[in-house]
Amino acid sequence: MTADLRRLALTVLQPGYEGTTPPDWLRRALGEGLGGAVLFARNRPDAAHVRELRAANPEVIVAIDEEGGTVTRLEVETGSSFPGNRALGVVDDVKLTERVGRQIGRMLAEADITLDYAPSADVNSNPANPVIGVRSFGPAPDLVARHTVAYVAGIQGAGVAACAKHFPGHGDTTTDSHLALPAVHASAESLAERDLPPFRAAIEAGVQSIMCGHLLIPALDPGTPSTFSRAILTELLRDELGFEGMLVTDAIEMEAVAAMYPPGEIAVRALGAGADAICVGLTTEEGLNEITGAIVAAVRDGVLPEERLAEAAARVRALSGWYARQAARREQAVADVDPGVGLDAARAALTVTGTARLTRPPLVIEVNTRFSKAVDPSMPTGLTAELTRLLPGTERVRLEPGGELPPMGEPEATRAPEDEAPSHGGRPVVLVVHDAARHAWVRDRVAQAVRSRPDTIVVDTGIPDVPSGAAHLATHGVSRVSARAAAEWLTR
């Protein structure tokens, strides 16, 4: 019984790990029945890496966060080839969204990755949201619902499982669940009308997986975070919405839940509430054994019914089986190259106010507001690189949070021809910001720059503020193609 229980417990775990090759302890666990693994940029994921995982367990669910835009694991060094959800929502062309989803699925199919923890089906109803923002298709339920469906169709049409997240909706929060437990203070009626429609639509569209968010939602469960709430995960998601696929938790090392319980207890409570798979974003051999042991002990002590664990393991195996049956779709998707779709989407999403253009190398001031912990810290905004490609000699200054603007000099038109400009003075100025509307100090720097240099060009890569400057460009996302679309417009 103990061996069978251990195999069931291993089946429901999806751990992440350090290193660019799977460590020996992970290989051993896969051989003993570990059901999943999650890859991050730190692993340098590619087809060769995945082959090593599958050599140890051919049925392993290999998962990854490949949303496009700000959240990419496969293209973190260069920036994503796709502009992200907010940009797709701005364009509001569901056929385009499906094409983007299919090409992301194509990348994953080439690497033999089973499950994409995407799309974000959250309705970004709170402009102050620090972690969803441009990862959402937008602030309206119907918009988010139709693009969630299109994205799921694209990913799964390429033979890779999609995962709608973060159930029951992370859009109306002002706290990043990586750092603390967010609360959603909305009525049950409001949640049903605003936050649930994208998940209902995804379920009706046949999404293979859903990820629950670490959220406290008093209207649905007054004292229990959603990750541990049977009322939310079973009564709402399963019984009311009718979801029959695999339900995975958000990473359990996130402080929203990690501050409450040790990893093993988090896993037991989540499984008891109705989760089928436990995402452990980063762990070790000791950590994996601790969680596995806690699940086995909970079953033996009668805390977690064995039937519940067996049901969860069966759903994990069902998703693995679905993936195995999609080989022909993946083969077709790999051959279906649509190389320009990401740039097409980024160009269509670009929102411009003003007419200023660049005719010579500018000074680019990157105002670093720091992305959320969902975004790899090495993710580039990309605009400086793209402008340098088009205008060699472009210079960059990076402004850390709270920092002061560098001397920018006077516009070239106001200097006498005989005046020699200082190193930065007189150059065109491009101010790159992210989510300026959320950061008072960033708004202050934008206002200061525009006062000092009315010819300043402002590029906002997040949820934009009221346009200002000689030209204001909103890319609605951070990606290589979004940067290229902005740079092209500025230099054409």
Side-chain angles (χ1 to χ4, degrees):
M1 178 177 176
T2 301
D4 290 342
L5 276 181
R6 176 173 167 76
R7 179 169 285 272
L8 285 177
L10 283 168
T11 299
V12 303
L13 300 181
Q14 297 183 356
Y17 50 90
E18 295 281 10
T20 56
T21 58
D24 290 341
W25 62 265
L26 186 80
R27 297 171 193 264
R28 288 193 297 271
L30 286 167
E32 295 168 0
L34 180 64
V38 56
L39 299 176
F40 291 89
R42 63 175 180 257
N43 303 123
R44 301 296 177 102
D46 58 16
H49 192 121
V50 175
R51 277 196 297 273
E52 294 188 57
L53 296 171
R54 294 204 183 280
N57 179 358
E59 297 179 355
V60 62
I61 291 176
V62 183
I64 198 166
D65 284 293
E66 192 63 38
E67 300 177 14
T70 56
V71 179
T72 177
R73 310 306 185 203
L74 296 178
E75 298 186 292
V76 70
E77 292 183 356
T78 60
S80 178
S81 300
F82 310 98
N85 285 4
R86 174 77 178 204
L88 294 172
V90 167
V91 179
D92 196 12
D93 179 345
V94 291
K95 290 183 179 179
L96 181 63
T97 296
E98 184 172 351
R99 285 173 60 199
V100 167
R102 181 171 177 80
Q103 290 305 301
I104 292 175
R106 178 183 176 276
M107 283 200 313
L108 301 182
E110 284 186 312
D112 199 13
I113 291 171
T114 316
L115 172 64
D116 190 6
Y117 289 152
S120 168
D122 305 297
V123 178
N124 196 61
S125 55
N126 192 329
N129 196 311
V131 67
I132 301 301
V134 293
R135 298 169 65 196
S136 165
F137 290 110
D142 57 340
L143 173 75
V144 175
R146 61 177 174 267
H147 286 277
T148 295
V149 167
Y151 191 106
V152 168
I155 293 283
Q156 295 191 171
V160 174
C163 179
K165 61 186 183 185
H166 306 80
F167 185 82
H170 206 320
D172 186 16
T173 62
T174 56
T175 301
D176 182 347
S177 50
H178 294 84
L179 306 175
L181 179 63
V184 178
H185 297 291
S187 67
E189 294 75 19
S190 177
L191 294 165
E193 293 175 1
R194 182 192 64 191
D195 297 276
L196 296 184
F199 293 100
R200 288 184 185 273
I203 292 166
E204 292 172 2
V207 70
Q208 290 295 307
S209 179
I210 285 178
M211 175 182 283
C212 64
H214 302 313
L215 306 161
L216 181 64
I217 309 175
L220 300 180
D221 192 324
T224 307
S226 51
T227 310
F228 311 135
S229 171
R230 183 171 178 80
I232 293 173
L233 301 190
T234 297
E235 294 172 14
L236 176 57
L237 182 59
R238 298 291 188 194
D239 299 343
E240 182 177 333
L241 300 187
F243 180 60
E244 297 179 352
M246 188 190 77
L247 174 60
V248 60
T249 69
D250 209 343
I252 64 171
E253 74 276 11
M254 293 164 65
E255 284 299 311
V257 291
M260 301 176 69
Y261 306 110
E265 188 170 352
I266 292 172
V268 169
R269 286 174 176 265
L271 289 164
D276 304 308
I278 309 298
C279 174
V280 191
L282 179 61
T283 193
T284 61
E285 181 175 15
E286 294 75 15
L288 184 67
N289 287 335
E290 176 190 341
I291 297 170
T292 306
I295 295 171
V296 170
V299 174
R300 296 171 79 179
D301 294 344
V303 174
L304 177 66
E306 185 173 353
E307 295 78 13
R308 170 77 274 271
L309 179 60
E311 177 186 53
R315 290 203 181 105
V316 171
R317 289 192 294 267
L319 189 145
S320 177
W322 178 90
Y323 180 79
R325 295 190 298 273
Q326 309 305 309
R329 281 187 172 183
R330 289 193 295 280
E331 184 177 355
Q332 182 179 1
V334 167
D336 182 17
V337 183
D338 190 359
V341 66
L343 185 55
D344 287 348
R347 287 169 174 158
L350 189 66
T351 305
V352 180
T353 303
T355 59
R357 295 291 207 278
L358 295 172
T359 58
R360 63 192 188 92
L363 169 65
V364 179
I365 304 173
E366 295 183 353
V367 182
N368 296 315
T369 52
R370 304 279 169 87
F371 301 124
S372 78
K373 283 201 169 185
V375 181
D376 190 280
S378 59
M379 175 72 182
T381 59
L383 185 61
T384 301
E386 288 298 328
L387 285 174
T388 301
R389 181 177 63 85
L390 297 171
L391 295 171
T394 293
E395 292 188 27
R396 179 179 71 174
V397 173
R398 306 188 79 175
L399 192 65
E400 293 304 312
E404 295 299 325
L405 291 170
M408 296 182 291
E410 296 179 351
E412 185 176 41
T414 66
R415 283 191 294 111
E418 64 273 12
D419 290 344
E420 182 177 347
S423 61
H424 298 321
R427 279 177 174 267
V429 174
V430 178
L431 203 62
V432 183
V433 300
H434 185 78
D435 284 356
R438 286 201 305 111
H439 301 280
W441 78 272
V442 176
R443 293 196 304 274
D444 289 346
R445 298 302 179 273
V446 171
Q448 180 185 349
V450 172
R451 282 195 305 270
S452 175
R453 289 284 302 269
D455 61 335
T456 295
I457 294 168
V458 180
V459 180
D460 198 324
T461 62
I463 308 295
D465 197 7
V466 176
S468 62
H472 184 281
L473 282 66
T475 64
H476 305 285
V478 180
S479 69
R480 176 165 46 86
V481 288
S482 298
R484 176 161 295 188
E488 286 177 347
W489 188 92
L490 286 170
T491 58
R492 67 182 182 181

